[in-house]
Amino acid sequence: MNALLIAFAVVLLILLVSFLVYDLRQTRKHRQLVRKLYASPILDNMQDELHFAKKHAVEYARVDKNGVHFRFLSPGYGEYHFIMQEHGFRQLTPAQQSAMRTILEERLPHFTEQTHYRLSRSSKHLPNGNTEYAYTYTMTNHYKEMLTRAPYYAPQMVPYIGF
């Protein structure tokens, strides 16, 4: 009986160590892909838009295989779509989409605040058997309401600029 428990504990320990090694390798792969995207001309072309998105309230941001899409809270700022093929790049793979999501979180840190934005991952099954993935940041209603009412309660705040 004791030998069985010891064997079970050893098997669990081996499974735990193998899972940790696998997770470490996946994290390293992901960080390497993020570094490659940082060094690529994609971010050079997106620089102005990321800077604009950092200074203005983004109501909705989406990363899909076609590119990155922003919709701003103020109607005057409208929407911005960075379509990969229009800028001479290939569509993003699912791993590159995840890396682009990480870059958005690093460059636009307000996306990581759970009280301000919700992150959702969607998948769509295509008739040919493939699956398309997308990451979406959606501004919470509470945060949106705070930004739109801010000038009335705190006049020093500029409307629609919360960052």
Side-chain angles (χ1 to χ4, degrees):
M1 186 70 167
N2 287 337
L4 185 63
L5 286 174
I6 292 173
F8 183 69
V10 169
V11 167
L12 282 177
L13 184 64
I14 290 172
L15 285 174
L16 178 66
V17 169
S18 63
F19 175 74
L20 291 175
V21 168
Y22 174 78
D23 186 50
L24 180 65
R25 285 183 182 166
Q26 292 299 320
T27 304
R28 283 183 182 167
K29 235 188 248 187
H30 181 74
R31 285 308 310 170
Q32 182 180 13
L33 195 54
V34 168
R35 283 193 297 272
K36 283 183 181 179
L37 273 178
Y38 267 122
S40 73
I42 295 172
L43 281 183
D44 290 337
N45 290 346
M46 286 183 62
Q47 198 72 304
D48 293 337
E49 290 73 22
L50 289 175
H51 184 67
F52 188 82
K54 189 173 187 174
K55 293 197 175 277
H56 298 86
V58 177
E59 182 179 10
Y60 174 85
R62 181 179 173 93
V63 177
D64 58 18
K65 72 175 189 170
N66 296 320
V68 181
H69 313 277
F70 293 108
R71 182 174 55 223
F72 296 98
L73 184 59
S74 173
Y77 300 138
E79 296 184 356
Y80 173 74
H81 305 280
F82 183 85
I83 307 298
M84 301 298 286
Q85 290 180 340
E86 289 179 4
H87 290 85
F89 302 110
R90 293 195 301 177
Q91 292 181 337
L92 296 172
T93 64
Q96 288 173 327
Q97 290 173 27
S98 178
M100 184 62 78
R101 178 189 61 85
T102 301
I103 288 173
L104 285 180
E105 288 179 354
E106 291 173 358
R107 299 295 292 276
L108 308 170
H110 52 277
F111 280 172
T112 59
E113 296 181 30
Q114 293 181 353
T115 58
H116 297 345
Y117 288 91
R118 274 187 306 252
L119 172 65
S120 60
R121 179 179 180 208
S122 61
S123 60
K124 182 168 76 171
H125 299 286
L126 303 175
N128 63 0
N130 293 339
T131 305
E132 287 184 2
Y133 298 98
Y135 295 96
T136 305
Y137 292 95
T138 308
M139 185 182 284
T140 61
N141 289 336
H142 178 280
Y143 186 57
K144 187 187 304 185
E145 186 175 307
M146 185 200 69
L147 287 178
T148 55
R149 291 182 182 210
Y152 303 110
Y153 296 112
Q156 69 273 15
M157 289 188 70
V158 178
Y160 306 116
I161 301 177
F163 316 111

